[in-house]
Amino acid sequence: MRRADSAFVLIKVRFSVCKIVTLFVLLTVLKMIYEATEHPLLSKSLAAAHILGFLYIWLIYLYASSFLDFSSLVNIVTTGRMRTEPGFQNPLLQSRSFKEAWGVRWNAPVQILLKRTVYVPARKCGLGRGAAAILTFLTSGLLHEYNFSIHNRRSYEPGKATVFFMLMGLSC
């Protein structure tokens, strides 16, 4: 491995460690909020619900991007090359619109997969840009439904993920 590559790996490792530490701190904060919201006066608080929602977005981002960082590091170590691209491009702080967040910055590997397998074939079949985008978001929602039904059987509520992704598709 070249010197520039090893410097890149070191920076990537440091950044990944910071993400993991932040992830654990966030999990601790969420646990404390949950324990506090069991109190009858706090359980109906709209502010607590908004704070939890905001923290959940960060939790999902940190969790998913940490796994993508880990896979990038494994690829670099095993192949000796930096042939990876970041999975997330700071979607929570740098996005100026839903379209930029979902279409450019959020989970690039899945975005590329859905573009190749759903959006482009839909466009070739004659669908307009908007209809192809809605179909892509519907597919993403169905993939999330499948994932949630397998991994979260107890708390899974059918349809919520698909509705969420359809709303995101309509807002783009």
Side-chain angles (χ1 to χ4, degrees):
M1 201 180 310
R2 294 187 323 235
R3 179 179 233 167
D5 292 346
S6 61
F8 174 77
V9 170
L10 184 62
I11 291 169
K12 191 87 168 160
V13 167
R14 286 180 183 163
F15 190 62
S16 296
V17 168
C18 288
K19 279 184 185 178
I20 290 170
V21 168
T22 305
L23 184 64
F24 282 111
V25 168
L26 186 57
L27 284 171
T28 305
V29 169
L30 281 170
K31 183 177 183 271
M32 290 170 41
I33 291 173
Y34 265 128
E35 290 170 356
T37 56
E38 289 178 1
H39 189 278
L41 293 176
L42 293 176
S43 64
K44 308 254 191 247
S45 169
L46 185 60
H50 284 290
I51 291 169
L52 280 174
F54 177 75
L55 293 176
Y56 273 128
I57 291 170
W58 277 98
L59 182 68
I60 292 167
Y61 164 68
L62 289 168
Y63 183 76
S65 66
S66 294
F67 277 107
L68 289 171
D69 287 347
F70 179 74
S71 67
S72 297
L73 290 171
V74 168
N75 186 23
I76 291 168
V77 169
T78 57
T79 65
R81 287 182 258 138
M82 296 186 308
R83 195 176 144 75
T84 60
E85 294 183 20
F88 290 85
Q89 298 170 4
N90 204 3
L92 298 176
L93 296 177
Q94 292 184 345
S95 297
R96 292 178 297 269
S97 66
F98 281 132
K99 187 173 184 174
E100 182 181 0
W102 287 115
V104 178
R105 298 183 177 281
W106 188 268
N107 202 352
V110 173
Q111 187 263 350
I112 291 168
L113 173 73
L114 288 171
K115 186 174 184 178
R116 287 182 189 163
T117 59
V118 180
Y119 183 80
V120 170
R123 292 285 290 151
K124 287 182 180 177
C125 287
L127 288 178
R129 289 175 49 197
I134 295 293
L135 182 63
T136 305
F137 274 94
L138 173 65
T139 304
S140 180
L142 293 173
L143 288 172
H144 281 82
E145 292 281 348
Y146 173 73
N147 186 18
F148 295 159
S149 70
I150 299 297
H151 299 290
N152 302 330
R153 276 192 196 140
R154 291 186 186 131
S155 61
Y156 171 65
E157 296 180 30
K160 282 192 171 184
T162 302
V163 169
F164 171 79
F165 280 94
M166 291 301 293
L167 289 173
M168 290 298 105
L170 291 170
S171 68
C172 289

